[in-house]
């Protein structure tokens, strides 16, 4: 009964026709939808509002505010939000290539060239967020979408559900948030933090792109937090043997335990492995 109610409610949207599901998050379902008037396609993130607290509503407002101020080619664009019949709707551009996560799983790992091109786009999105005093806090391959199924498709950063608005670069207590494998040491230590937490996550993503497994992994979350706090990761043989020194050097500069010594997005965009890709990124791996 519950599901039927859900479907019929959503079919009743005046301006849009809701179609099939295209993704799912912890608290949301994302569906394709079509404007009845213009036939233009969108992705609509739907959240049940009946059980939400005032604090949850504030978070939804913040997510919309943050998305709306970030207009960038590598960031998913939010068109409008509205509440209707017990649901909150967020209308985004429809991104059709799926999650970077699925692409890594299918292909196992990326060549250095592909990884460099991919990380460059992620860095463009992150540096734009940071320039606008937004910290994403949940960078991971599930929240990075591919514009199409074609090779070299553009990457779009999505899911600003945990994003915060900071004031400049001053670290503050923003609370414990993120996804375990991507959490930075300063978040785990419950210290004040700021933009560098995103660059730590980019380091984790880059590591995963190159070999298909994460730098920090333990069954037990406590044990995993322990190795993250200490920044204990390695480059096991043989898969890392063919990876260039520049790639490892860039990962090392992102996975610096001390956030003050960690590379920034703008600096990383100037790193030779990113901006001098044809010469530096190993063609073999
Ligand atoms: P949550 O905050 O619940 O994690 P997300 O915003 O990450 O929700 O959306 C959940 C999933 O829906 C994403 O991981 C992705 O697969 C899919 N998705 C989100 N936005 C879009 C979009 N604009 N176009 C296509 N798929 C999307
Ligand atoms: Mg998500």
């Amino acid at each position: 009964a519950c599901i039927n109610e859900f479907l019929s409610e959503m079919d009743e949207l005046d301006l849009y026709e809701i179609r099939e599901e295209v993704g799912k998050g912890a608290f949301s379902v994302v569906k394709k939808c079509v404007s009845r008037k213009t036939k233009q396609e969108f992705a609509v993130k739907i959240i049940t509002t009946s059980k939400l607290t005032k604090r949850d509503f504030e978070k939804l407002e913040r997510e919309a505010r943050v998305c709306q101020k970030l207009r960038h080619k590598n960031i998913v664009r939010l068109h409008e939000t509205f509440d209707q019949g017990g649901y909150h709707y967020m209308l985004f551009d429809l991104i059709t290539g799926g999650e970077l996560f699925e692409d890594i799983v299918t292909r196992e790992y990326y060549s250095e060239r592909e990884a460099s091109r991919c990380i460059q786009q992620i860095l463009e999105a992150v540096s734009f967020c940071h320039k606008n005093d937004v910290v994403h806090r949940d960078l991971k391959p599930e929240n990075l979408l591919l514009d199409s199924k074609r090779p070299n498709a553009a990457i779009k950063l999505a899911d600003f559900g945990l994003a915060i608005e900071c004031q400049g670069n001053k670290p503050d207590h923003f609370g414990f948030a993120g996804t375990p494998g991507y959490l930075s040491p300063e978040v785990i230590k419950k210290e004040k933090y700021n933009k560098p937490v995103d660059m730590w996550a980019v380091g984790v993503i880059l590591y995963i792109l190159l070999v298909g497994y994460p730098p920090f992994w333990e069954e037990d979350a406590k044990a995993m937090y322990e190795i993250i706090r200490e920044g204990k990761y390695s480059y096991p043989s043989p898969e890392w043997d063919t990876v260039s020194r520049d790639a490892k050097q860039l990962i090392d500069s992102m996975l610096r335990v001390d956030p003050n010594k960690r590379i920034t997005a703008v600096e990383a965009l100037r790193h030779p492995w990113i901006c001098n890709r044809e010469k530096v990124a190993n063609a073999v791996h």
Side-chain angles (χ1 to χ4, degrees):
C2 196
I3 286 174
N4 283 336
E5 216 171 274
F6 192 54
L7 288 174
S8 64
E9 290 250 20
M10 291 195 305
D11 280 337
E12 280 167 23
L13 279 186
D14 315 330
L15 300 177
Y16 302 96
E17 187 189 314
I18 308 275
R19 298 265 176 88
E20 74 272 16
E21 181 177 317
V22 292
K24 221 187 214 137
F27 307 99
S28 69
V29 53
V30 178
K31 300 198 175 197
K32 184 168 151 179
C33 80
V34 185
S35 160
R36 296 188 197 276
K37 207 162 133 198
T38 66
K39 306 292 170 211
Q40 198 185 341
E41 294 181 327
F42 296 94
V44 65
K45 181 166 170 174
I46 307 164
I47 298 132
T48 314
T49 50
S50 57
K51 293 190 193 86
L52 298 187
T53 62
K54 186 160 167 271
R55 180 91 189 86
D56 295 327
F57 276 107
E58 281 165 11
K59 284 184 190 158
L60 289 176
E61 259 168 43
R62 179 174 68 184
E63 180 174 355
R65 188 169 63 236
V66 165
C67 287
Q68 247 141 9
K69 76 175 173 188
L70 297 172
R71 293 242 176 135
H72 188 271
K73 63 181 194 309
N74 298 115
I75 297 177
V76 172
R77 166 119 179 256
L78 176 68
H79 292 272
E80 62 167 326
T81 64
F82 50 89
D83 288 281
Q84 194 178 311
Y87 300 96
H88 178 73
Y89 297 88
M90 302 180 79
L91 207 73
F92 292 94
D93 272 344
L94 177 68
I95 313 298
T96 55
E99 297 172 8
L100 179 63
F101 177 79
E102 296 152 8
D103 202 53
I104 300 169
V105 172
T106 328
R107 292 162 54 177
E108 210 172 334
Y109 64 87
Y110 279 43
S111 73
E112 281 198 39
R113 241 167 235 180
E114 293 167 314
S116 166
R117 197 178 285 117
C118 178
I119 290 293
Q120 182 172 35
Q121 297 182 64
I122 297 169
L123 288 169
E124 295 281 1
V126 172
S127 79
F128 188 76
C129 292
H130 291 181
K131 198 171 84 182
N132 286 284
D133 279 344
V134 168
V135 186
H136 186 280
R137 293 203 301 177
D138 203 17
L139 294 175
K140 55 177 175 179
E142 293 89 326
N143 289 335
L144 290 157
L145 308 179
L146 297 171
D147 207 19
S148 73
K149 295 276 185 202
R150 289 190 300 269
N152 300 335
I155 291 187
K156 306 266 187 180
L157 174 57
D159 195 356
F160 285 77
L162 293 185
I164 47 168
E165 297 159 295
C166 60
Q167 264 140 29
N169 295 325
K170 198 168 174 291
D172 210 336
H173 287 291
F174 295 111
F176 193 83
T179 302
Y182 302 84
L183 289 178
S184 64
E186 63 270 29
V187 169
I188 288 170
K189 290 180 206 158
K190 309 236 160 72
E191 292 172 355
K192 293 181 179 181
Y193 62 83
N194 201 317
K195 295 163 187 169
V197 300
D198 282 344
M199 290 308 294
W200 177 276
V202 176
V204 175
I205 295 168
L206 173 51
Y207 187 109
I208 294 173
L209 279 177
L210 288 172
V211 289
Y213 60 83
F216 307 100
W217 173 250
E218 295 284 341
E219 283 285 342
D220 174 54
K222 265 226 174 100
M224 185 161 74
Y225 291 164
E226 200 50 48
I227 55 172
I228 295 173
R229 284 170 80 107
E230 288 162 20
K232 267 199 206 154
Y233 63 96
S234 61
Y235 298 118
S237 205
E239 62 274 26
W240 282 97
D241 298 348
T242 49
V243 175
S244 68
R245 199 181 302 162
D246 290 273
K248 291 175 192 160
Q249 198 269 327
L250 180 57
I251 295 172
D252 291 342
S253 62
M254 292 172 169
L255 298 182
R256 286 260 148 77
V257 172
D258 181 349
N260 297 310
K261 299 202 176 115
R262 202 172 299 150
I263 197 166
T264 66
V266 170
E267 287 163 357
L269 281 166
R270 292 198 296 255
H271 191 281
W273 191 78
I274 298 292
C275 68
N276 206 359
R277 171 162 55 233
E278 298 312 322
K279 284 206 189 107
V280 175
N282 190 349
V284 179
H285 179 76

